[in-house]
């Protein structure tokens, strides 16, 4: 009640022109909470990839049917309206259409609506069940929302400002283009919405078109309701304008029976959690380890075989920043190596994102940049904690040097470990820095211009004095070795044009084996011959 009274007072101040925006009760209650708010989660990459892959598949499957879905839902809404008005649409009723024999009890009406839709509304949309309460549409909308959030890093309040017309392509130069989204944000502008731009991906175009066009019949019903409320005096001019603006969103409420005064969707966290359960995406041991590493304030909340403890739109925003920093989203080659998605062209998306800094008319999200910067610092802390405190063995030129330094300190009776707080101080002041190499290990020279970690083949045989391989990164290299062996055997068909490539792959496999031996990781020596080559 108190929040309601305060909200009324603030809204009267708005009407009088003394404050700039309307304030909701939920916003006030949020400010009154005294509980400690934990950081939004960064989603483990395997879970993220599976969830996003399923969502993209939904968008790709139903985007071609978006107008058919709209037609079907429009017909279903009409059938429901006529039956609720007492209409007799079913052939098994009396021919005279008299209303006297029709029960007007709610259950009887709903039964007639269900039968009427089943009999009168026909379609060929795959795995689509007509549902007036928005359950089926809600699953499609959640997939569209997930894709939009994942490929933009926007906040949920910003995503609901998007419509199908928000997507556009910006030309960088004669050869290159990037996808962008234009929408509204109130962040950093005293609560006053302003136009902002985010880089995106072409799959978001299909997601927004599907979300908007499939729900157009319901959007029209909402517009009619808004007009009635305005004409009756129940809506002030500002409420009327805001409602019309909101209902233009691609993401509107899909359950008309409970829709009140807001015309953009809510409860997105619940819908996203349902997607995890629908797709049966449960945590593996590796997922739990990664979750605890990325989310230290939530360590222990995710268990093997269970779902993520929560999933909200803002979790995708933090994950967006984490992937940028932790998975080498600096070049297309690095991204392809790390992600290995089959149906998502994420490589060009993340590689092109760097072009945002060179476009004067694209407004980069300052908060997102700060979030990325902070995730970069956390990554540096984790890397050096692994190097100095956790890894029993270190290899590579830089690793051997650090191991030697640690040994000398032990001999001198000095401490060789650093607390995370000490590491953080050195990372933040720039004394320690590292680059995570896609092919395994770290480069601890921030000004290095070599490409030793990005390609399949090593450009130089000399061991780099800046490369550090820990026990953890050596295990990743063991997995990469297995993939290289599979690739070698797939290519090894006697084609002479592939011989040089196979030589390079085999060289890389044998180089990794040297690292594995140094870290005590068991393996079977790779001795496959290259088909078509005569060995002396």
């Amino acid at each position: 009640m108190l929040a309601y009274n305060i909200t009324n007072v603030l809204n009267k101040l708005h009407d009088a022109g003394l404050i700039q925006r309307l304030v909701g009760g939920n916003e006030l209650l949020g400010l009154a909470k005294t509980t400690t708010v934990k950081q939004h989660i960064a989603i483990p990459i395997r879970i993220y990839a599976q969830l996003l892959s399923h969502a993209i598949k939904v968008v790709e499957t139903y985007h071609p049917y978006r107008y058919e879905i709209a037609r079907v839902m429009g017909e279903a809404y009409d059938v429901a309206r006529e039956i609720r008005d007492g209409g007799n649409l079913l052939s098994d009723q009396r021919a005279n259409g008299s209303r006297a024999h029709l029960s007007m009890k709610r259950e009887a009406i709903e039964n007639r609506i269900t039968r009427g839709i089943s009999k009168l509304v026909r379609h060929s949309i795959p795995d689509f069940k007509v549902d007036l309460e928005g359950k089926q549409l809600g699953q499609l909308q959640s997939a569209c929302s997930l894709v939009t959030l994942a490929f933009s890093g926007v906040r949920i309040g910003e995503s609901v400002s998007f419509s199908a017309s928000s997507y556009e392509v910006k030309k960088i130069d004669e050869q290159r283009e990037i996808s962008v989204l234009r929408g509204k944000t109130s962040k950093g502008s005293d609560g006053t919405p302003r136009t902002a731009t985010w880089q995106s991906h072409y799959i978001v175009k299909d997601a927004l078109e599907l979300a908007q066009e499939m729900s157009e019949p319901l959007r029209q019903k909402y517009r009619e309701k808004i007009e009635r409320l305005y004409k009756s005096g129940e809506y002030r001019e500002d409420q009327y304008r805001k409602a019309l603006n909101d209902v233009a969103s691609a993401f509107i409420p899909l359950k008309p029976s409970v829709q009140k005064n807001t015309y953009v969707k809510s409860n997105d966290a619940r819908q996203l959690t349902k997607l995890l359960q629908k797709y049966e995406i449960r945590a593996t041991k590796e997922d739990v380890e990664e979750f605890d590493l990325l989310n230290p304030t939530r360590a222990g909340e995710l268990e093997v075989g269970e779902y993520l403890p929560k999933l909200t739109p803002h979790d995708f925003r933090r994950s967006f920043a984490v992937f940028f920093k932790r998975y080498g989203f600096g070049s297309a080659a690095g991204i392809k190596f790390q992600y290995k998605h089959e149906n998502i062209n994420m490589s060009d998306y993340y590689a092109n994102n760097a072009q945002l800094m060179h476009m004067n008319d694209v407004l980069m999200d300052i908060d997102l940049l700060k979030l990325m910067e902070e995730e970069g610092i956390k990554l540096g802390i984790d890397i050096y904690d692994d190097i100095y405190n956790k890894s029993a063995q270190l290899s590579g030129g830089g690793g051997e040097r650090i191991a030697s330094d640690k040994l000398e300190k032990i001999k001198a009776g000095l401490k060789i470990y650093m607390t995370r707080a000490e590491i953080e101080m050195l990372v933040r002041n720039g004394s320690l820095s590292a680059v995570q190499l896609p092919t395994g290990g770290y480069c601890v020279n921030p000004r290095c211009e070599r490409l030793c970690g990005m390609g399949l083949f090593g450009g130089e045989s000399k061991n780099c004095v800046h490369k550090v391989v820990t026990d953890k990164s050596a295990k990743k290299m063991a997995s990469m070795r297995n993939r290289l062996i599979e690739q070698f055997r797939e290519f090894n068909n006697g084609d002479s044009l592939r011989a040089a490539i196979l030589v390079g792959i085999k060289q890389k496999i044998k180089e990794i084996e040297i690292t594995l031996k140094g870290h005590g990781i068991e393996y079977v020596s790779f001795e496959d011959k290259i088909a078509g080559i005569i060995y002396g």
Side-chain angles (χ1 to χ4, degrees):
M1 177 63 75
L2 179 60
Y4 176 78
N5 292 335
I6 295 174
T7 302
N8 274 346
V9 171
L10 291 174
N11 288 341
K12 288 183 182 300
L13 291 173
H14 172 268
D15 293 343
L18 298 175
I19 61 176
Q20 293 183 322
R21 68 184 182 96
L22 295 170
V23 179
N26 288 338
E27 187 175 357
L28 286 176
L29 290 173
L31 295 173
K33 290 181 179 179
T34 58
T35 55
T36 302
V37 178
K38 294 183 179 180
Q39 187 177 28
H40 291 284
I41 69 172
I43 308 167
I45 193 168
R46 188 197 65 87
I47 294 177
Y48 186 96
Q50 281 199 14
L51 186 59
L52 190 53
S53 181
H54 281 296
I56 288 176
K57 184 177 180 180
V58 169
V59 172
E60 291 175 338
T61 298
Y62 289 97
H63 179 263
Y65 293 95
R66 60 195 185 279
Y67 295 117
E68 177 71 358
I69 294 172
R71 178 193 65 79
V72 167
M73 294 308 301
E75 291 180 4
Y77 295 138
D78 289 342
V79 168
R81 186 189 68 252
E82 290 191 42
I83 290 177
R84 289 192 178 109
D85 288 343
N88 183 357
L89 302 179
L90 302 176
S91 59
D92 59 345
Q93 301 293 339
R94 295 177 187 173
N96 62 13
S98 172
R99 298 184 185 181
H101 68 286
L102 294 176
S103 171
M104 297 308 291
K105 291 182 179 179
R106 180 176 178 180
E107 183 178 356
I109 293 174
E110 294 305 317
N111 286 337
R112 288 200 298 276
I113 290 174
T114 301
R115 287 189 292 128
I117 291 174
S118 176
K119 195 163 188 176
L120 300 174
V121 180
R122 303 292 184 183
H123 68 82
S124 58
I125 306 167
D127 300 320
F128 184 84
K129 182 179 179 181
V130 180
D131 170 29
L132 295 179
E133 291 302 295
K135 183 178 180 180
Q136 176 83 62
L137 289 185
Q139 292 178 357
L140 302 187
Q141 187 189 68
S142 293
C144 294
S145 177
L146 193 156
V147 168
T148 302
L149 293 168
F151 284 104
S152 64
V154 299
R155 302 173 183 85
I156 184 62
E158 293 160 346
S159 73
V160 296
S161 74
F162 296 149
S163 66
S165 61
S166 296
Y167 175 92
E168 57 184 278
V169 174
K170 300 293 292 184
K171 202 172 185 65
I172 300 175
D173 52 38
E174 291 302 318
Q175 285 77 39
R176 292 173 296 172
E177 296 177 335
I178 62 171
S179 304
V180 297
L181 291 170
R182 292 194 182 276
K184 295 290 185 180
T185 181
S186 57
K187 193 70 174 179
S189 53
D190 298 323
T192 303
R194 62 177 174 81
T195 299
T197 305
W198 297 265
Q199 186 179 359
S200 189
H201 184 276
Y202 60 79
I203 189 62
V204 177
K205 174 179 181 291
D206 289 352
L208 291 176
E209 288 178 349
L210 173 58
Q212 177 136 21
E213 289 159 4
M214 74 177 186
S215 58
E216 192 57 37
L218 187 55
R219 186 174 289 98
Q220 185 56 38
K221 288 169 65 72
Y222 289 156
R223 287 194 184 102
E224 293 169 0
K225 176 183 176 181
I226 292 167
E227 293 294 340
R228 287 198 307 270
L229 292 173
Y230 179 56
K231 290 178 181 178
S232 68
E234 295 180 62
Y235 272 180
R236 300 186 307 269
E237 180 71 24
D238 60 329
Q239 291 175 309
Y240 171 66
R241 297 297 174 193
K242 183 179 185 304
L244 286 180
N245 181 67
D246 288 349
V247 81
S249 168
F251 302 108
I252 61 173
L254 297 175
K255 193 173 182 179
S257 63
V258 297
Q259 187 275 329
K260 300 299 181 183
N261 292 325
T262 180
Y263 295 93
V264 291
K265 68 170 185 170
S266 58
N267 295 324
D268 210 56
R270 186 166 58 196
Q271 291 297 329
L272 291 173
T273 301
K274 286 181 179 179
L275 285 184
L276 281 174
Q277 298 169 355
K278 175 180 173 60
Y279 302 142
E280 277 292 311
I281 303 176
R282 298 176 183 270
T284 64
K285 180 175 179 293
E286 291 74 19
D287 294 332
V288 172
E289 291 174 355
E290 185 179 359
F291 179 89
D292 290 345
L293 174 66
L294 298 178
N295 307 282
T297 63
R298 295 182 175 275
E301 290 187 12
L302 179 63
E303 298 181 1
V304 175
E306 299 298 327
Y307 301 111
L308 287 173
K310 77 180 196 72
L311 186 61
T312 67
H314 208 90
D315 295 328
F316 284 92
R317 183 172 171 83
R318 180 166 177 238
S319 297
F320 181 95
V322 166
F323 293 160
F324 235 92
K325 289 298 182 182
R326 290 187 179 262
Y327 295 100
F329 289 158
S331 75
I335 300 158
K336 286 175 182 175
F337 188 93
Q338 291 288 349
Y339 250 77
K340 301 175 184 66
H341 287 311
E342 295 178 358
N343 66 334
I344 315 172
N345 188 9
M346 295 189 73
S347 302
D348 292 338
Y349 168 54
Y350 283 106
N352 281 341
N353 204 294
Q355 297 295 337
L356 282 175
M357 301 305 294
H358 306 293
M359 296 179 61
N360 293 329
D361 59 340
V362 173
L363 305 175
M364 189 60 178
D365 189 327
I366 300 302
D367 286 341
L368 192 56
L369 282 176
K370 291 179 180 177
L371 188 57
M372 289 180 183
E373 181 181 355
E374 189 63 25
E375 291 300 337
I377 291 172
K378 290 177 182 176
L379 172 59
I381 295 169
D382 289 338
I383 287 174
Y384 277 97
D385 188 31
D386 185 26
I387 292 173
Y388 282 104
N389 301 331
K390 295 181 178 179
S391 187
Q393 299 290 332
L394 295 173
S395 61
E400 292 169 0
R401 175 175 49 78
I402 292 172
S404 177
D405 290 344
K406 289 170 69 175
L407 182 60
E408 291 300 319
K409 287 182 179 180
I410 291 174
K411 290 179 179 178
L414 300 175
K415 184 184 75 169
I416 63 170
Y417 296 99
M418 284 195 289
T419 66
R420 286 183 67 88
E422 291 171 331
I423 293 173
E424 180 176 354
M425 180 181 67
L426 294 172
V427 170
R428 288 189 182 277
N429 68 23
S431 299
L432 295 178
S433 60
V435 175
Q436 198 167 19
L437 301 175
T439 50
Y442 312 105
C443 176
V444 293
N445 178 10
R447 290 173 293 278
C448 182
E449 296 181 353
R450 288 163 50 116
L451 298 176
C452 56
M454 301 307 296
L456 179 62
F457 313 124
E460 302 176 30
S461 59
K462 184 179 178 181
N463 196 10
C464 177
V465 297
H466 302 296
K467 185 175 181 179
V468 178
V469 179
T470 64
D471 290 336
K472 183 186 294 184
S473 51
K475 290 178 182 178
K476 292 181 179 179
M477 293 175 74
S479 298
M480 184 181 73
R481 172 181 171 273
N482 293 335
R483 293 194 297 271
L484 289 173
I485 290 174
E486 291 178 6
Q487 186 177 4
F488 181 96
R489 289 171 176 165
E490 181 181 346
F491 273 42
N492 194 17
N493 59 4
D495 186 343
S496 60
L497 294 177
R498 294 185 175 184
I501 297 175
L502 291 169
V503 169
I505 295 175
K506 187 169 183 177
Q507 175 191 349
K508 193 69 178 179
I509 292 170
K510 300 305 288 185
E511 288 176 359
I512 293 175
E513 288 182 355
I514 296 173
T515 300
L516 300 186
K517 184 177 180 179
H519 288 264
I521 298 174
E522 293 185 2
Y523 64 92
V524 176
S525 179
F526 181 73
E527 303 298 341
D528 286 19
K529 304 290 186 181
I530 299 175
I533 292 182
I534 300 175
Y535 294 84

